Structures are given as structure tokens and as C-alpha cells.
Amino acid sequence: MLEPPHAAATPRPPSGGKKSRSGKAGKKGRPRRKDPLWARLTVVAGAALMMTSGVAIVGSKAMISQATGNITQRNLVGGAGKTLAEGGSDLKGPIDMLLLGVDARERWAADDVRADSIIVLHIPATHDQAYLISIPRDTEARIPAFAKTGYPGGVGKINGAFQAGASNGGGWEGGAQLMAQTIKNMTGVSFDGAAIINFGGFKNIIDALGSVRICPKQDIESIHMSYVDGKPMWNADAKKTGKPRTPVVHKKGCQEMEGWAALDFSRQRYGLANSDYDRQQNQQQLIKAMAKKASQNGTLTNPIKLNELIKAAGKAFILDTGGVSVEDFVFTMRGVTGNELIMLKTNGGTYNATGSGNETLDEQTLDMFRAIRQDKLAEFVFYNPEVISNRK
């Protein structure tokens, strides 16, 4: 998903150009691109905030406000938000977002859902680049007590933090708050905001885009879907037809995927060389593919297509901008585009298990989160290029 190290997306070491507290480049700073504004709606997005950056939006804050007015907003970070000493709700410095992907289906109880995708989005104070860092869902974590649901605290897989916070009436808001606090305790990173993305909603977003370009690293046979009479169906539904089924296989190599196929591809982990670690990179790849497609296929300059995209994205996630208006949040990130989205690997992209069989974050990964806290991630990546995902 990322371009090779020599390409334009290669992270840069800190330069001499500085920005003022207003966020505008000084005389020695890099000139700001004249991207159309209707595109800052996708870096926090693609797969994860399809409505807040990286896809630009042509127009004023008033137009952005109108376009994003139907997005559901909740308090998702709770006590894990940035303190005043860390910048509080001031967006002039670095921005850190927690992106949670849930695979919720209608037959499941609302409070019985785990977070299948856990991603930290870091935007440096220059506001001209963005990084995605996935936390393995099987990472062993000390989950703190959560009074809202009566959860006493304990040690378990980190994706269980969402379920513990959502149970007993906590809802997805409680699930996100407990997850955010768990991650803050583990990594020291506080958050400016968060988003919960329902993966089921991605299909509608991709359909609004037409398709996305995805490059699987290997043939992947779906464990969720089959073809019946040439039509893709969930296996449970396919079985009910009593007709012959043909497995859905996502072939190796670059291709355009429709919404159902891209979503199914991003859900697979069985049969992958590095299981959930490969799935993390595939999900990051989908995020970037969505961001790039939205900024390249004319969607952003076609009012009808754009309206369809916004409506689809608005149904796919819940957003927390830390008390800042959505239009200010989007406008602040207007310098970030899909091509400036860099995907990073935790634990070198492979297993780092504890004695219990759960995963743990290795020293290099903890150093990476330390660099996030210090807003020195570009420097860290420059000197540790092996953490960059090789997905195209």
C-alpha cells in the first residue's frame, strides 16, 4: 500500500522550515499545495474517518459544516483526552486520533462487540502528513476498571477492552472510552479525538466511489463468503440456498475491487502468512486506497457523487473531535492527502508473543509510540525505515 522508499511518500527527516502557532508555514517552510478543499474528508478516514481529512473539500468552513452535519458525535475518548499541558483541544500542534473498526452485524447484541481494528492516527504539528499505526488486537493489556459498566479491571486481549466498556449499558461510547484509556496507559499517547467505524458501512462508501484499487500480496480464500450462481453471498446465506457454492478468492496482484470484495478482503486473517499482522496492513491499505480514489476519480468535484459519498460515510462511523467543531477539525487537516498517508508496522509486522500466547509490544514499537508523544515520528521512521508497510 505504501510507495517504495524512494517514492514521494517516503517520510522526511525534520527540516529547517518551521510553522508558527497559527499553523501557517513560515518563509522557510514548504509551500502549501493548492489542493481543492473537498478532499480533506478522508485520511482519518478512508477506512476510518472518511469524513475528516485526506480527501479535501472545495469551499468554506460553512460548506464543510453543511456536508458533515449528519455525522453522529459522541464522547469517545473520555479521560484519555489530551490535558491542557498536552495541548487540550488546541489543534495547532500534533493531532492524535484513535480509530476503532467494529464488525457489527444486525443479529449481534449492541454491547457484545469487540474492536477488530485498532489504529492510532498521528498527524504531526506541520499538518502535512499522516501516519497509521495498528495495534494488534491480541495484544495483552491491563484493562483498567470502568465504573460506568461496573467492570472491575483485569488483564486480557486489548480488543476485549471495547467489549468490557460497551457491556451493561456502556454502549459503543463506553467501549471506545475504555479502549482509549487502556491504550493511553500502555503507550502514554493521549488523544484529540476518536472514531468508531462500522466495517459494514464501508461497502456503501466504496460503492459510492465505484471501486478501490487493492494489491493483495497473495491469493486469499475468503472464510466468510462464497459465490452462488455467480453472486457473492455470506456463507450462512449461501448454505440456505442448497445450491453449489464456489469459494471467493481474492487473487494476488493489483486490481479494482467493488465494495463487497474490498470489505471481505480486509476482514481475512486465516491463511495469511502473518495472520492478524497481515490483516492490519490490508486494512491500512484499504484506508489509503479509499482516500486516494476519492481524491482522484472526480467524486470531489461532482456534486451528486460527492453527496452520495458523504451520506454513505456519515452512516459508517461515530466521531469525537474533542469538543472542536467538525468543520474546524477538517479545515485544520487540509494539508493532508491520501498520498501523504504512511502506514507503519508494529512488532516488525510479525508475532511477538508472551508466555500466555498473547501478543506484546516490542521495544521498537514502544519507541515508536514515544516518538508520537514527542512529535518526532518522522525522525523515528527516517532512522527505522523497516517499520514502513510495503503494501502498495
Side-chain angles (χ1 to χ4, degrees), residues 202-212 257-259 262 286 290:
F202 273 10
K203 177 184 180 298
N204 295 333
I205 296 175
I206 298 169
D207 287 344
L209 292 170
S211 64
V212 289
M257 288 189 181
E258 298 177 36
L286 176 59
M290 293 169 73

Side-chain angles (χ1 to χ4, degrees), residues 79-83 85-87 94-98 120-122 133 135 139 141-142 144 158 178-192 361-362 365-375:
K82 288 187 176 175
T83 64
E86 294 171 315
I95 297 172
D96 297 296
M97 296 282 292
L98 175 61
V120 175
L121 169 73
H122 175 73
I133 305 97
I135 296 178
T139 300
R142 184 169 296 280
I158 195 168
L178 186 53
M179 178 66 81
Q181 189 62 58
T182 301
I183 294 172
K184 179 176 181 177
N185 292 355
M186 175 182 290
T187 67
V189 175
S190 301
F191 297 101
D192 294 277
L361 301 183
D362 64 17
T365 299
L366 292 175
D367 286 344
M368 183 160 58
F369 281 109
R370 187 175 300 113
I372 290 175
R373 298 198 307 270
Q374 298 171 352
D375 196 23

Side-chain angles (χ1 to χ4, degrees), residues 370-382:
R370 187 175 300 113
I372 290 175
R373 298 198 307 270
Q374 298 171 352
D375 196 23
K376 294 182 178 179
L377 189 55
E379 180 178 348
F380 173 86
V381 173
F382 184 79

Side-chain angles (χ1 to χ4, degrees), residues 16 61 73 107 122 150 184 205 244 257 283 322 362 364 383:
K61 287 186 180 181
Q73 297 186 62
R107 66 180 182 273
H122 175 73
K184 179 176 181 177
I205 296 175
M257 288 189 181
Q283 290 173 344
D362 64 17
Q364 185 183 52
Y383 290 109

Side-chain angles (χ1 to χ4, degrees), residues 144-203:
F146 195 56
K148 182 182 292 187
T149 62
Y151 176 69
V155 175
K157 294 181 179 180
I158 195 168
N159 69 335
F162 190 92
Q163 185 180 44
S167 63
N168 298 325
W172 286 13
E173 182 176 341
Q177 289 177 1
L178 186 53
M179 178 66 81
Q181 189 62 58
T182 301
I183 294 172
K184 179 176 181 177
N185 292 355
M186 175 182 290
T187 67
V189 175
S190 301
F191 297 101
D192 294 277
I196 301 175
I197 299 90
N198 183 351
F199 279 119
F202 273 10
K203 177 184 180 298

Side-chain angles (χ1 to χ4, degrees), residues 306-325:
L306 183 59
N307 187 52
E308 292 175 354
L309 177 63
I310 292 170
K311 288 171 64 177
K315 294 178 181 178
F317 67 90
I318 302 170
L319 179 64
D320 178 2
T321 56
V324 178
S325 68

Side-chain angles (χ1 to χ4, degrees), residues 226-229 231 233-245:
S226 302
Y227 291 109
V228 175
D229 295 333
K231 178 183 177 181
M233 300 180 68
W234 289 107
N235 284 336
D237 296 327
K239 290 178 182 177
K240 293 177 184 178
T241 68
K243 296 182 178 181
R245 295 182 289 141

